[in-house]
Amino acid sequence: MPNVLDVIPEDLQEEVNAALTWFNAHKNTSFEVTGIVDPPAAATKGGDLRLVLCGGGVCRQETFQVSGSADRPTVRWLGVDHVKDSIGIAELDPPPGARKTWLADVVGQHDFTVLLFYRGFW
């Protein structure tokens, strides 16, 4: 089962920010990082970062390699390995932010709540 963190470790923050900035610029989107899957033990220049990106009602998992200096990072998008990245994906929690707050409110108002997760949509 993958280890999914919704808080990015401090030592990986620069690499994560560089990957997100690159992805949003190249895909003309405005995703946010809402998690990291199986984060490396420490910041490893050039190591793989599996990020959970959410925006516009969609969450997706993308893999990046970030190398170089903090002021001139080199980002390489590795895309998605659907076989590897789909294992345990349904176990991801709802992303933090508006949806998580909404979910907490709804759960408090009812005896039970049904959630539907379908192909990256909550």
Side-chain angles (χ1 to χ4, degrees):
M1 178 185 326
N3 178 26
V4 181
L5 303 177
D6 60 356
V7 175
I8 305 301
E10 188 67 33
D11 60 336
L12 296 173
Q13 193 65 56
E14 285 182 9
E15 288 86 355
V16 168
N17 288 344
L20 177 64
T21 300
W22 182 94
F23 187 79
N24 282 337
H26 283 78
K27 294 293 182 179
N28 196 26
T29 60
S30 60
F31 281 91
E32 295 180 10
V33 175
T34 61
I36 185 168
V37 181
D38 294 330
T44 54
K45 300 293 182 189
D48 289 1
L49 294 173
R50 290 174 59 196
L51 303 177
V52 179
L53 305 176
C54 295
V58 176
C59 290
R60 54 194 287 176
Q61 190 177 148
E62 300 290 345
T63 306
F64 302 90
Q65 280 185 343
V66 180
S67 59
S69 63
D71 58 335
R72 293 191 56 123
T74 301
V75 177
R76 187 170 152 230
W77 179 40
L78 302 177
V80 177
D81 178 349
H82 291 289
V83 173
K84 178 179 141 187
D85 290 342
S86 64
I87 297 171
I89 195 72
E91 296 175 8
L92 291 175
D93 288 336
R99 290 186 200 143
K100 201 162 198 168
T101 303
W102 172 85
L103 179 59
D105 292 341
V106 169
V107 168
Q109 296 172 3
H110 304 284
D111 292 333
F112 69 94
T113 304
V114 177
L115 296 178
L116 176 63
F117 179 79
Y118 177 70
R119 300 180 70 181
F121 293 90
W122 282 99

